[in-house]
Amino acid sequence: MAAFNLLKIALRNLLRYRRRTLFTSSLIIIGVVFVLVFVAVTGSIKGLLIGQITDSMLGHIQIHKKGYVASIDNLPLTVMMGPKAVETVENVIKTIPGIEAYSPRIKFGGLFSNYRETTNIRLNGVIPEKELDTVPLLPGRIIAGKWDLAKGNVLIPELLAKGMDVNAGDSIVIIATNKDGSVNGKQFTVSGILESVTGPGGRDGYIHIDDAAEILRMEEVEISEIALRLRDIEMMPGVHDALTEALSEERNKAGKPMFEVHTWEKLSPFYNIARMIDIMTFFIKIMLIAMVLISIMNVMIMAVYERMREIGTISAIGTMPGRILSMFVLEGLSIGVLGALAGNILGCAIIYILNLSHITFNFGRQTGLVLAPRVQGEDLLIITVIVLAVSAVASLQPAFKASRMEPIEALRHV
Amino acid sequence: MELISAKNLYKEYKLGEVSQRALDDLNFKIEPASFLSFVGPSGSGKTTLLNLIGCLDVPSGGSLTVAGADVLKLDRKERAAFRGRHMGFIFQDFNLIPVLTVYENIEYPLILVQNVPSEERRRRVLSLLESVGMMAHKGKYPDQISGGQKQRVAIARALVTAPELVLADEPTANLDSKTAYMIIDLMKAMKEKSGTAFIFSTHDQKIVGAADIIYSLEDGKIVGRKEMKKHGSI
């Protein structure tokens, strides 16, 4: 009952100084709306960009033989997974929930010739169906020709096609050196041209895995990496840990771990951009905290100063200091609740309108990506908790001052 | 047993290096259910003495016992709790809480000071509203009623906790003469009804006559004590 009455007094005091309450809550509302919209929009952009990276190229997680990633730029053919190792990995994959698809790849560097000129190319030998299941946006990157990775076909990156003046349907030759140092070549037909995407491998070409094994003269197929697609990217940390734990039991003859597991974040420099977005969001939240702190502290200091005689009166008639403190903290907290509530509602409304507006943007060569800002319940909760906690903290100093005031001094205040 | 007992009581204020005695060597006893007034010119120490009796301030020396408690031994929190249990206050400027209605202002000490159950609260508040003649205004806010009505509400608020003592510092100073007499009459009537001691300070000679006992103060000292043998209204 006492708490209810303290709240009643706090709310009525807020109504008593309507204009000031409105001004202070407006500042908080603006802050909350700004943070919410920023988090939703940048989250959408980040999600779309991450989706482009993972769903058209990297996959969510990759498994390599231990030591491969350290020399990944060289596409080493000496750090590969043999059939037994691949079988081991496949067996582990089947036991871990959340993995939707996987694609084994042979990655190697070679020479690309159009019979007139020769240049370097990075190639991925893949099983087309498995690759499609793992990186479903890959066919979407084809700007000429079609998605056809039948044996004898190659998908080549756009920059290479332009530089070498090669079009879909043209015949080219790929030459590569295998791990024993012998050179081999094979003629291919360009079935499609891929536009680039940010990150390493953005200039990669694709061939059938059997063609890759043939060029590299593999007696038995050895795999450079196994890319995984998860049902939900949010499951990535859990699946990564489970895979790491399960595969850590596999040891080579020297007793060292055979495999290494990496998420896309460890493999793509784009992760740093995503991190920058997170850091910006963090600083925006700090700004919100400062905004709430200054607004509430300012208004509560004024409230204590203006109501000095009132504080003296309630103190004189026996109100304990703790209750006086609660009264002012509740007042500050109520402004915070009002600001957080109205800010959340307004923020969600703006995000809804943004979704209806179908705003598009470009990323690299990807055009017309539709902005779909989304606010998570978790974001609303975090922002609300920040505002409420900061409101309470900001009210504490003035409230403490009010509760420590000597009634006789307060009553004398004019 | 006396309600208040003061022995060699004094209060000093420091003004830089110099000490100034606002009250000097006071000795008096006040019985329960008294209707007593401290009178004297401005600066005579009336308010200081009421503040000491009301545990709003601490004596510099001597002894002061109020309702059986040695007030010099009470710390800040204990003084607050003591005031809430044993005392009511009436202020010159009424000091009602502006965001609470007449009813809620009277109810306030019962909720936030004494934690009285709701039924009992309601009974006490309504009874006092009736006694001070404010029942018709119970839903109004302080800024919707006159000064005299505000002081009636303040009297009800002071009495609602059934204290042994009500202290009123210049309770009629901001009222016209007619209203001032009515307020003093009401205080006296309430004292008769509740048995609560009322101690008030005033410099208005016409009001002074209403008190049963009058202490005269001058330069921080008691210079006279007079017992009046009057009954009824002034």
Side-chain angles (χ1 to χ4, degrees):
Chain A
M1 191 63 198
F4 172 76
N5 272 277
L6 286 173
L7 183 64
K8 180 173 76 182
I9 293 172
L11 292 176
R12 286 194 189 167
N13 272 312
L14 291 180
L15 287 173
R16 177 177 165 196
Y17 300 102
R18 266 194 198 94
R19 198 175 296 174
R20 198 166 65 194
T21 304
L22 201 66
F23 179 72
T24 310
S25 0
S26 299
L27 284 174
I28 298 171
I29 291 167
I30 290 168
V32 170
V33 168
F34 186 65
V35 173
L36 263 184
V37 173
F38 184 85
V39 166
V41 170
T42 54
S44 163
I45 293 172
K46 199 173 100 177
L48 278 168
L49 302 190
I50 290 171
Q52 285 295 313
I53 301 281
T54 57
D55 295 355
S56 72
M57 192 173 67
L58 287 180
H60 294 134
I61 291 176
Q62 291 186 359
I63 301 168
H64 302 92
K65 190 169 179 183
K66 187 79 179 170
Y68 185 88
V69 171
S71 51
I72 198 165
D73 283 343
N74 304 329
L75 302 175
L77 294 171
T78 50
V79 196
M80 309 278 273
M81 293 179 269
K84 208 173 165 189
V86 172
E87 191 186 337
T88 304
V89 174
E90 284 177 331
N91 287 337
V92 168
I93 286 172
K94 281 171 196 160
T95 63
I96 294 173
I99 299 172
E100 195 171 73
Y102 67 94
S103 174
R105 296 167 176 166
I106 298 173
K107 294 174 83 87
F108 64 102
L111 291 174
F112 177 96
S113 170
N114 61 0
Y115 303 106
R116 298 182 301 278
E117 293 174 273
T118 303
T119 188
N120 298 321
I121 186 169
R122 293 161 55 98
L123 284 156
N124 294 270
V126 298
I127 302 166
E129 305 76 37
K130 288 201 166 191
E131 186 69 9
L132 196 57
D133 288 344
T134 307
V135 284
L137 295 184
L138 179 57
R141 285 170 52 201
I142 294 174
I143 52 172
K146 59 180 179 180
W147 168 257
D148 182 2
L149 272 183
K151 285 182 194 172
N153 283 348
V154 63
L155 295 170
I156 63 168
E158 181 189 8
L159 290 173
L160 194 69
K162 276 187 181 163
M164 299 291 283
D165 194 22
V166 173
N167 295 308
D170 289 355
S171 179
I172 57 100
V173 171
I174 287 170
I175 303 153
T177 307
N178 72 1
K179 67 178 176 185
D180 299 324
S182 64
V183 178
N184 192 22
K186 182 173 164 67
Q187 190 175 320
F188 286 88
T189 302
V190 177
S191 61
I193 294 169
L194 291 166
E195 70 178 354
S196 63
V197 67
T198 301
R203 298 184 61 195
D204 285 15
Y206 288 82
I207 57 176
H208 195 282
I209 197 164
D210 292 343
D211 288 335
E214 186 185 331
I215 294 175
L216 295 172
R217 289 183 170 154
M218 289 178 172
E219 287 173 11
E220 51 184 15
V221 175
E222 290 181 69
I223 298 299
S224 312
E225 71 187 20
I226 297 176
L228 309 180
R229 177 178 176 74
L230 309 182
R231 205 164 36 241
D232 182 352
I233 196 165
E234 299 296 323
M235 299 168 81
M236 197 168 71
V239 173
H240 171 265
D241 292 348
L243 277 169
T244 305
E245 194 186 336
L247 291 172
S248 67
E249 290 166 14
E250 304 298 329
R251 302 273 159 169
N252 60 20
K253 285 173 190 164
K256 297 199 170 159
M258 274 180 73
F259 302 103
E260 56 189 17
V261 183
H262 294 99
T263 61
W264 76 269
E265 295 165 346
K266 300 282 179 197
L267 299 166
S268 169
F270 175 73
Y271 178 63
N272 293 327
I273 297 173
R275 287 285 300 152
M276 276 172 66
I277 292 174
D278 290 341
I279 290 167
M280 279 167 69
T281 307
F282 173 76
F283 280 106
I284 293 285
K285 282 178 184 164
I286 296 280
M287 278 172 62
L288 172 71
I289 289 171
M291 220 164 156
V292 175
L293 195 75
I294 293 166
S295 314
I296 301 244
M297 196 178 265
N298 184 43
V299 81
M300 291 316 296
I301 286 171
M302 281 173 72
V304 169
Y305 185 78
E306 282 175 355
R307 303 216 310 264
M308 209 85 100
R309 284 175 70 88
E310 206 176 307
I311 295 164
T313 305
I314 59 174
S315 178
I317 63 180
T319 310
M320 297 302 281
R323 289 218 159 140
I324 298 175
L325 182 121
S326 308
M327 193 182 290
F328 282 92
V329 169
L330 275 173
E331 202 168 316
L333 202 58
S334 300
I335 301 177
V337 170
L338 179 70
L341 201 67
N344 280 336
I345 293 169
L346 195 60
C348 288
I350 291 173
I351 290 163
Y352 180 71
I353 292 166
L354 285 175
N355 274 298
L356 290 182
S357 308
H358 289 286
I359 297 166
T360 58
F361 70 101
N362 303 332
F363 173 57
R365 296 299 305 265
Q366 297 283 311
T367 55
L369 295 172
V370 180
L371 189 70
R374 222 160 34 114
V375 62
Q376 309 276 357
E378 190 186 329
D379 294 328
L380 292 175
L381 188 69
I382 288 172
I383 290 167
T384 305
V385 168
I386 287 175
V387 171
L388 298 190
V390 175
S391 301
V393 169
S395 315
L396 266 179
Q397 191 273 337
F400 188 71
K401 188 182 169 191
S403 71
R404 299 288 303 166
M405 221 173 265
E406 285 295 338
I408 192 166
E409 299 294 330
L411 284 166
R412 274 190 203 132
H413 184 79
V414 181
Chain B
M1 190 186 162
E2 61 273 4
L3 177 64
I4 301 166
S5 167
K7 202 171 175 187
N8 307 121
L9 181 70
Y10 68 93
K11 176 71 185 175
E12 275 179 355
Y13 291 108
K14 290 229 169 192
L15 299 166
E17 295 294 307
V18 186
S19 288
Q20 176 89 34
R21 282 212 170 185
L23 294 174
D24 191 12
D25 198 27
L26 302 189
N27 293 283
F28 60 87
K29 286 179 181 174
I30 297 172
E31 298 299 317
S34 302
F35 196 70
L36 183 146
S37 174
F38 287 111
V39 297
S42 180
S44 59
K46 305 184 296 289
T47 300
T48 306
L49 181 55
L50 284 187
N51 287 340
L52 294 186
I53 294 170
C55 300
L56 295 171
D57 204 355
V58 188
S60 304
S63 77
L64 177 63
T65 308
V66 180
D70 183 350
V71 299
L72 271 93
K73 288 182 179 162
L74 301 177
D75 66 20
R76 198 170 159 271
K77 273 189 179 174
E78 287 168 339
R79 286 203 304 275
F82 185 76
R83 287 194 300 268
R85 275 199 308 275
H86 299 282
M87 294 176 193
F89 289 87
I90 299 168
F91 301 95
Q92 180 179 329
D93 296 321
F94 325 121
N95 291 18
L96 299 180
I97 299 168
V99 294
L100 298 181
T101 63
V102 163
Y103 183 99
E104 289 165 342
N105 260 288
I106 299 170
E107 192 187 28
Y108 176 94
L110 296 179
I111 301 174
L112 289 164
V113 179
Q114 291 198 341
N115 295 320
V116 174
S118 66
E119 268 311 301
E120 173 65 8
R121 276 202 316 265
R122 188 175 158 72
R123 191 189 63 73
R124 284 205 219 174
V125 174
L126 289 177
S127 162
L128 276 163
L129 275 168
E130 191 68 54
S131 301
V132 299
M134 287 298 291
M135 187 62 92
H137 305 283
K138 65 175 182 178
K140 289 182 180 171
Y141 286 91
D143 61 358
Q144 296 171 317
I145 56 177
S146 68
Q149 287 172 327
K150 283 179 191 167
Q151 206 58 303
R152 285 168 181 269
V153 177
I155 291 168
R157 181 178 67 184
L159 286 167
V160 76
T161 55
E164 288 144 274
L165 171 66
V166 169
L167 294 160
D169 187 14
E170 302 272 7
T172 58
N174 284 341
L175 301 172
D176 59 71
S177 305
K178 193 180 162 197
T179 312
Y181 294 144
M182 283 166 67
I183 289 298
I184 292 295
D185 266 352
L186 177 64
M187 280 167 53
K188 197 156 192 176
M190 297 307 290
K191 173 246 159 186
E192 297 299 337
K193 192 174 175 183
S194 62
T196 299
F198 273 73
I199 300 176
F200 63 98
S201 67
T202 183
H203 59 267
D204 185 340
Q205 290 303 318
K206 288 173 279 182
I207 299 294
V208 172
D212 295 337
I213 300 166
I214 303 165
Y215 278 98
S216 299
L217 287 167
E218 224 174 86
D219 297 328
K221 293 183 175 175
I222 294 175
V223 293
R225 181 182 185 279
K226 191 155 66 172
E227 280 195 39
M228 312 291 280
K229 294 290 177 195
K230 276 201 289 186
H231 296 286
S233 62
I234 53 174

